[in-house]
Coordinates of all heavy atoms in Angstrom, one line a residue:
R4 N -3.2 9.9 12.4 CA -2.8 10.1 13.9 C -3.3 8.9 14.6 O -4.5 8.5 14.6 CB -3.5 11.4 14.4 CG -3.1 12.6 13.6 CD -3.8 13.9 14.2 NE -3.4 14.2 15.5 CZ -2.3 15.0 15.8 NH1 -1.6 15.5 14.8 NH2 -2.0 15.3 17.0
E62 N -5.2 -12.7 -10.8 CA -6.6 -12.6 -10.5 C -6.8 -12.0 -9.1 O -7.8 -11.3 -8.9 CB -7.3 -13.9 -10.6 CG -7.2 -14.8 -9.5 CD -8.0 -16.1 -9.6 OE1 -8.4 -16.4 -10.7 OE2 -8.2 -16.8 -8.6
E64 N -4.4 -10.0 -7.6 CA -3.4 -8.9 -7.3 C -4.0 -7.6 -6.7 O -3.3 -6.8 -6.2 CB -2.7 -8.6 -8.6 CG -3.5 -7.9 -9.6 CD -2.6 -7.6 -10.9 OE1 -1.4 -8.0 -10.9 OE2 -3.1 -6.9 -11.8
S119 N -22.4 -3.7 5.3 CA -21.5 -4.8 4.7 C -22.1 -5.1 3.3 O -23.2 -5.3 3.0 CB -21.6 -6.0 5.5 OG -21.1 -7.1 4.8
T157 N -10.3 -19.6 0.5 CA -9.5 -20.9 0.3 C -8.5 -20.7 -0.8 O -7.4 -21.1 -0.7 CB -10.4 -22.0 0.1 OG1 -11.3 -22.2 1.3 CG2 -9.6 -23.3 -0.1
Q181 N 18.7 -8.6 7.4 CA 18.4 -7.2 7.3 C 17.3 -6.8 8.3 O 17.4 -5.8 9.0 CB 18.1 -6.7 5.9 CG 19.2 -6.9 4.9 CD 18.8 -6.5 3.5 OE1 18.4 -5.3 3.3 NE2 18.8 -7.3 2.6
Q196 N 15.8 4.6 25.0 CA 15.5 6.1 24.8 C 14.0 6.4 24.7 O 13.6 7.5 24.6 CB 16.3 6.6 23.6 CG 17.8 6.5 23.7 CD 18.5 7.0 22.5 OE1 18.1 8.1 22.0 NE2 19.6 6.4 22.1
A233 N -4.2 -4.6 21.7 CA -3.0 -5.1 21.2 C -1.9 -4.0 20.9 O -0.8 -4.3 20.7 CB -3.2 -5.9 19.9
L274 N 17.8 21.4 -16.4 CA 17.2 22.4 -15.6 C 15.8 22.8 -16.1 O 14.9 23.0 -15.4 CB 18.1 23.6 -15.6 CG 17.6 24.8 -14.8 CD1 17.4 24.4 -13.3 CD2 18.6 26.0 -14.8
R335 N -2.1 4.9 -19.8 CA -2.3 3.6 -20.6 C -3.8 3.3 -20.7 O -4.5 3.2 -19.7 CB -1.6 2.5 -19.9 CG -1.7 1.1 -20.7 CD -0.9 0.0 -19.9 NE -1.1 -1.2 -20.7 CZ -0.6 -2.4 -20.2 NH1 0.0 -2.4 -19.0 NH2 -0.7 -3.5 -20.9
R339 N -12.2 1.1 -22.3 CA -12.7 2.5 -22.4 C -12.2 3.3 -21.2 O -12.6 4.5 -21.1 CB -14.2 2.5 -22.4 CG -14.9 1.8 -21.2 CD -16.4 1.6 -21.5 NE -17.1 0.9 -20.4 CZ -17.8 1.6 -19.5 NH1 -17.8 2.9 -19.5 NH2 -18.4 0.9 -18.5
R363 N 25.7 22.5 -11.9 CA 26.4 22.2 -13.1 C 26.9 23.4 -13.8 O 26.2 24.4 -13.8 CB 25.5 21.4 -14.1 CG 25.4 20.0 -13.8 CD 24.9 19.2 -15.0 NE 23.6 19.6 -15.4 CZ 22.4 19.0 -14.9 NH1 22.5 18.1 -14.0 NH2 21.3 19.4 -15.3

Side-chain angles (χ1 to χ4, degrees):
R4 301 179 68 86
E62 77 176 21
E64 69 178 5
S119 166
T157 299
Q181 295 179 62
Q196 300 182 38
L274 180 58
R335 181 181 180 185
R339 56 195 180 96
R363 276 202 300 273

